């Protein structure tokens, strides 16, 4: 083996379920991952993955390489964290992740204020609802909508949230005397309207299911029906109205999190405090009051 770095490709192919997933995670193309994996197998003289019709399956030799790669990754991350924890400069890189709609509706303005106040901090922003891995330094700070974050992370709850059912103004005007409303469900809600909807509108039915809040916003805006969403999202849409006769309900909390070893790094600590204070100015909007 010419380079320990080659083991990283074994680790990422296994972790991300194939060449394409590894390529996305590593920021390279599919061909590069395939070539590096094949080169490593040629150098070692063994097959690390069996190429099957259903995808790649790790071999016994691949398992041994994977174990070594995991040890090296942990040692590298531990070293990186220990060095980063001693960094007290209000300058340098800072990677922040948050849900797309939070960036779009509010966080972008907060980030702009922060950048003006701390111009030497080099911000990278990751808009995603995925649980970014803070232990692998995929981000330094993560804003997450969750009631119980991982106990191994460090952070603070910005505040609680509430949610409501919303529809386009035109849709509600056309259905104000009807008990048969069209419900836009998230996939996990299934094929039946929620109990609180049926209580107020016993003839309601599900017209479509979605897996993404941005898609739901588009469907509501198009007049497809009613949908549940956080108050800070629904109330921010000028063409949306709250569906009558359905009360506000608790939604997931908003947390600001980091790796515990990095909580005292100056730029991370400063951003977390700054973002929390700025977000709290909008707490009533998140509660829908």
């Amino acid at each position: 083996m010419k380079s320990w770095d080659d083991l990283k490709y074994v680790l990422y192919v296994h972790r991300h379920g194939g060449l394409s997933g590894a390529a996305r995670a590593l920021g390279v193309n599919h061909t590069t991952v395939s070539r590096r994996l094949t080169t490593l197998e040629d150098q070692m003289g063994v097959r690390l993955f069996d190429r099957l019709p259903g995808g790649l399956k790790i071999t016994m030799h691949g398992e041994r390489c994977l174990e070594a790669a995991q040890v090296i990754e942990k040692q590298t991350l531990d070293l990186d964290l220990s060095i980063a924890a001693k960094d007290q400069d209000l300058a340098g890189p800072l990677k922040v992740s948050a849900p797309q709609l939070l960036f779009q509706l509010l966080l972008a303005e907060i980030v702009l204020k922060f950048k003006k106040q701390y111009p030497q901090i080099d911000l990278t922003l990751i808009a995603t609802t995925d649980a970014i891995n803070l232990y692998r330094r995929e981000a330094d700070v993560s804003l997450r909508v969750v009631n119980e974050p991982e106990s191994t992370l460090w952070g603070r709850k910005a505040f609680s949230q509430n949610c409501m059912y919303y529809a386009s103004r035109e849709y509600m005007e056309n259905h104000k005397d009807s008990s048969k409303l069209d419900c836009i469900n998230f996939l996990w809600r299934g094929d039946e309207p929620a109990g609180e909807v049926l209580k107020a509108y016993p003839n309601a039915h599900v017209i479509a299911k979605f897996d993404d809040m941005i898609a739901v916003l588009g469907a509501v805006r198009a007049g497809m029906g009613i949908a549940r969403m956080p108050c800070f999202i629904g109330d921010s849409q000028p063409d949306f109205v709250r569906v009558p006769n359905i009360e506000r309900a608790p939604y997931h909390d908003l947390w600001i999190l980091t790796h515990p070893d990095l909580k005292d790094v100056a730029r991370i600590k400063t951003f977390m405090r700054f973002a929390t204070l700025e977000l709290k100015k909008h707490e009533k909007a998140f509660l829908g009051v």
Side-chain angles (χ1 to χ4, degrees), residues 13-81:
V13 168
H14 183 265
R15 177 178 289 160
H16 297 280
L19 301 177
S20 297
R24 286 191 296 270
L26 290 165
V28 299
N29 60 47
H30 179 284
T31 304
T32 298
V33 178
S34 179
R35 185 179 67 250
R36 291 291 291 268
L37 191 60
T38 300
T39 300
L40 179 59
E41 289 178 324
D42 291 343
Q43 290 172 356
M44 299 184 74
V46 295
R47 179 70 71 182
L48 302 178
F49 290 90
D50 288 327
R51 278 69 168 172
L52 303 175
L56 300 181
K57 182 179 180 181
I58 197 165
T59 66
M60 176 184 66
H61 301 294
E63 290 279 4
R64 294 185 64 186
C65 287
L66 177 63
E67 291 172 6
Q70 290 169 332
V71 170
I72 294 170
E73 181 189 49
K74 184 179 185 307
Q75 291 173 338
T76 302
L77 290 173
D78 287 346
L79 176 62
D80 183 40
L81 286 168

Side-chain angles (χ1 to χ4, degrees), residues 90-95 115 118-124 140 267:
L90 280 172
L94 177 64
K95 194 180 295 185
K115 186 65 178 178
Y118 302 99
Q120 299 305 311
I121 294 179
D122 181 18
L123 280 168
T124 298
D140 300 305
R267 59 184 176 274

Side-chain angles (χ1 to χ4, degrees), residues 4 19 21 25 34 59 73 120 135 150 163 171 175 182 209 246 256 262:
W4 287 108
L19 301 177
S34 179
T59 66
E73 181 189 49
Q120 299 305 311
Y135 280 83
E150 299 161 58
C163 63
Y171 179 89
H175 292 78
D182 306 294
K209 301 190 294 291
I246 304 178
I256 305 181
L262 301 179

Side-chain angles (χ1 to χ4, degrees), residues 50-197:
D50 288 327
R51 278 69 168 172
L52 303 175
L56 300 181
K57 182 179 180 181
I58 197 165
T59 66
M60 176 184 66
H61 301 294
E63 290 279 4
R64 294 185 64 186
C65 287
L66 177 63
E67 291 172 6
Q70 290 169 332
V71 170
I72 294 170
E73 181 189 49
K74 184 179 185 307
Q75 291 173 338
T76 302
L77 290 173
D78 287 346
L79 176 62
D80 183 40
L81 286 168
S82 66
I83 293 172
K86 302 183 189 315
D87 186 353
Q88 294 305 312
D89 289 337
L90 280 172
L94 177 64
K95 194 180 295 185
V96 179
S97 75
Q100 297 95 322
L101 283 168
L102 185 59
F103 269 125
Q104 179 182 331
L105 299 175
L106 181 58
L107 193 58
E109 295 179 8
I110 294 173
V111 167
L112 177 59
K113 287 183 181 179
F114 180 80
K115 186 65 178 178
K116 287 180 177 178
Q117 192 165 335
Y118 302 99
Q120 299 305 311
I121 294 179
D122 181 18
L123 280 168
T124 298
L125 306 173
I126 305 168
T128 179
T129 54
D130 293 341
I132 290 289
N133 193 313
L134 297 174
Y135 280 83
R136 291 202 291 268
R137 299 297 302 279
E138 292 176 2
D140 300 305
V141 178
S142 183
L143 282 77
R144 294 186 187 172
V145 178
V146 60
N147 285 336
E148 294 185 12
E150 299 161 58
S151 60
T152 52
L153 298 177
W154 185 89
R156 63 194 74 182
K157 185 174 85 170
F159 39 65
S160 299
Q161 295 191 78
N162 286 327
C163 63
M164 287 282 295
Y165 278 82
Y166 292 86
S168 72
R169 194 177 306 277
E170 182 179 0
Y171 179 89
M172 285 312 303
E173 280 293 321
N174 293 335
H175 292 78
K176 59 185 177 183
D177 297 321
S178 173
S179 66
K180 188 177 181 180
L181 295 186
D182 306 294
C183 294
I184 300 164
N185 267 12
F186 286 94
L187 287 177
W188 56 270
R189 279 270 185 181
D191 297 320
E192 295 296 325
E196 61 267 30
V197 175

Side-chain angles (χ1 to χ4, degrees), residues 270-286:
T270 300
F271 178 83
M272 293 180 73
R273 182 170 58 245
F274 185 95
T276 300
L277 291 173
E278 288 294 322
L279 284 166
K280 280 188 174 295
K281 295 177 183 178
H282 303 272
E283 185 170 5
K284 287 186 177 180
F286 283 82

Side-chain angles (χ1 to χ4, degrees), residues 209-222:
K209 301 190 294 291
F210 290 84
D211 67 343
D212 176 78
M213 182 64 76
I214 295 175
V216 167
L217 277 175
V220 173
R221 188 171 291 113

